[in-house]
Amino acid sequence: MSNAPNFKQELTAVFGMPVAENPTQVMVEAAYRHHGLAWRYLTIEVAPAALADAVRGARAMGFAGFNCTIPHKVAVVAHLDSLGESARLMGAVNCVVRRGTQLVGENTDGKGFLASLRELTDPRGRRVVMFGAGGAARAIGVELALAGAASVTIVNRSEARGRDLAALLTGKAGIKEAPFVPWQGRFAIPADTDVVINATSIGLYPDVDAELEVDFATLSPRMIVADVIPNPPRTRLIRTARERGCRAIDGLGMLVNQGVIGVKHWTGIDADPRVMRAALEEVFGK
Ligand SMILES: NC(=O)c1ccc[n+]([C@@H]2O[C@H](COP(=O)([O-])OP(=O)(O)OC[C@H]3O[C@@H](n4cnc5c(N)ncnc54)[C@H](OP(=O)(O)O)[C@@H]3O)[C@@H](O)[C@H]2O)c1
């Protein structure tokens, strides 16, 4: 083995705008350090008009891959060579992976969520109520369908987005039941529900006291309640669910697990999720 010094680091990144508040660098670089990898994860602001050049730059500089966040998740598809199955179904990419000379688009948001859910239950055959029909809800809904969930009821404020997601799930994603319910007034969770998911942005910092319009008396201890909000992790929904005896999954679980999947795609290693979560908890508090 050569003892020649090597100052060249492997590069990964997130492209977004705004991006300064995105905490992914903290958890991914904690994993790189923990596993002894001389890799970097850069937080890079890329304007929509510069996306094509940014992807060309990443190719030219040999990036191992990069995450895409708002507003690039759909637009980046046009600049890639191929897509993984979930990314193709959703038409959105949050994780780009270099394989040889090709850039492949994956969607790991929903897979990260499912990894958290699987720590508590197998999604196969489960009945799910999901609030929201935006990017996070699409990612989670598609993975639930691919994992064999029996039913995903979509509750959303905007009818068009809700119906669109229901059609995707029962169409290309192949789930039997995905009824859409317009969100009007306090939603009562049906008693046979196994999993309740907040996939809206309600509760996200700084609006931390915002509460879902749900009849919380209908939450029962047999239900698992999950929130996608990573900041703060202990949302009102998570606190209420625990008070009512439900098992709860906070938004850090999804964030950490999609990070673990991204690091695996780029480096091939199985990163320790505890190290990544601890790094985020330092930023967000427990
Ligand atoms: N933990 C993680 O790893 C992770 C990953 C991805 C995203 N997220 C989080 O997921 C959340 C949603 O992100 P997204 O990309 O899906 O956003 P998005 O595409 O903008 O969708 C937002 C969703 O929230 C709903 N919504 C927002 N405010 C509402 C209100 N006051 N009342 C009722 N519904 C409301 C929207 O309903 P309408 O359709 O009616 O507008 C829509 O369904 C964000 O807070 C983000 O931080 C977390």
Side-chain angles (χ1 to χ4, degrees), residues 38-272:
W39 285 50
R40 294 300 315 275
Y41 184 99
L42 309 174
T43 302
I44 304 178
E45 187 159 279
V46 175
L51 181 63
D53 284 342
V55 177
R56 257 196 298 279
R59 282 184 198 272
M61 290 184 273
F63 277 42
F66 53 91
N67 287 124
C68 283
T69 186
I70 290 169
H72 302 314
K73 288 185 180 182
V74 174
V76 76
V77 171
H79 309 295
L80 304 177
D81 300 302
S82 62
L83 298 180
E85 185 187 19
S86 330
R88 197 172 56 246
L89 285 171
M90 287 168 221
V93 163
N94 77 324
C95 182
V96 174
V97 185
R98 191 189 72 210
R99 297 206 177 102
T101 58
Q102 305 271 297
L103 290 183
V104 181
E106 301 281 355
N107 202 306
T108 60
D109 275 339
K111 293 184 206 299
F113 177 86
L114 252 75
S116 295
L117 182 61
R118 282 204 168 94
E119 290 169 15
L120 298 186
T121 192
D122 181 351
R124 183 163 296 280
R126 300 289 171 209
R127 302 188 69 78
V128 179
V129 168
M130 180 165 68
F131 296 93
R138 285 173 81 83
I140 292 169
V142 164
E143 297 298 344
L144 284 169
L146 295 178
S151 149
V152 178
T153 300
I154 295 150
V155 186
N156 198 52
R157 182 180 61 180
S158 133
E159 183 158 347
R161 270 173 125 185
R163 288 200 186 286
D164 204 42
L165 177 53
L168 170 65
L169 296 191
T170 50
K172 284 193 238 163
I175 197 168
K176 271 207 208 93
E177 267 183 51
F180 166 69
V181 181
W183 199 351
Q184 287 154 353
R186 292 211 166 261
F187 184 84
I189 311 287
D192 63 353
T193 303
D194 301 302
V195 183
V196 178
I197 303 168
N198 173 36
T200 73
S201 42
I202 297 170
L204 186 67
Y205 180 86
D207 210 359
V208 298
D209 284 324
E211 190 178 74
L212 263 72
E213 276 218 73
V214 169
D215 177 357
F216 290 105
T218 59
L219 281 182
S220 76
R222 72 182 294 278
M223 298 172 187
I224 292 171
V225 176
D227 203 328
V228 299
I229 301 296
N231 179 23
R234 292 187 69 230
T235 56
R236 283 188 77 161
L237 175 65
I238 292 286
R239 282 180 278 146
T240 307
R242 287 190 178 135
E243 279 160 22
R244 294 199 55 81
C246 305
R247 288 178 296 164
I249 302 171
D250 69 27
L252 287 186
M254 174 176 177
L255 189 58
V256 167
N257 283 316
Q258 64 82 23
V260 167
I261 297 165
V263 170
K264 175 82 176 178
H265 275 311
W266 299 324
T267 70
I269 66 155
D270 291 304
D272 185 342

